[in-house]
Amino acid sequence: QVQLVESGGGLVQAGGSLRLSCATSGRTFSSYTMGWFRQAPGKEREFVAAISWSGSFTNYADSVKGRFTISRDNAKNTVYLQMNSLKPEETAIYYCAADTQPYARWRVVVPSSYDYWGQGTQVTVSS
């Protein structure tokens, strides 16, 4: 099995930035498509960003394009989410997830595609 641990969440003012990290276990990290999702109270879990195993392909929710950047360092078994110009409505728990199936654009936006999930890290954006 694979374990994922998120870190880097916290409290920021609107317009501020945070960098989230997701550390993964196992030797097969480089084979996984990695995604970030978020869930606010009373809301559905929402796709944020995804990256293929090689880093060649990325996908972003329309709401975060131009402000968030997903990246990965396979040598460190870590995926990152750089979040800039944060908005209060983006307050949520942010989750890292891993998909063991080959990358496909239609798959990465669907939570049920992912095989492993972290426990989440809280991001709070104040106005």
Side-chain angles (χ1 to χ4, degrees):
Q1 298 291 85
V2 175
Q3 188 169 11
L4 291 71
V5 180
E6 303 95 336
S7 62
L11 174 64
V12 296
Q13 295 283 342
S17 298
L18 284 174
R19 186 196 191 211
L20 306 183
S21 298
C22 175
T24 65
S25 66
R27 299 182 296 174
T28 58
F29 170 77
S30 63
S31 298
Y32 300 156
T33 296
M34 301 296 297
W36 286 96
F37 291 77
R38 63 191 178 193
Q39 189 164 21
K43 303 293 182 64
E44 296 289 325
R45 189 162 295 191
E46 176 188 26
F47 170 74
V48 177
I51 187 167
S52 64
W53 70 268
S54 67
S56 297
F57 302 100
T58 58
N59 195 16
Y60 296 93
D62 288 342
S63 61
V64 307
K65 286 180 180 176
R67 297 186 297 115
F68 289 14
T69 303
I70 188 170
S71 62
R72 67 192 299 163
D73 186 338
N74 289 344
K76 296 181 178 179
N77 292 338
T78 302
V79 63
Y80 305 95
L81 184 68
Q82 178 67 46
M83 306 186 294
N84 297 328
S85 302
L86 282 160
K87 305 174 182 179
E89 58 264 35
E90 293 176 311
T91 293
I93 300 174
Y94 283 68
Y95 296 92
C96 178
D99 181 7
T100 60
Q101 294 297 113
Y103 177 91
R105 187 178 184 277
W106 67 266
R107 286 184 59 85
V108 300
V109 301
V110 181
S112 61
S113 297
Y114 292 81
D115 301 287
Y116 304 103
W117 292 83
Q119 291 296 109
T121 185
Q122 177 70 47
V123 172
T124 302
V125 185
S126 62
S127 60

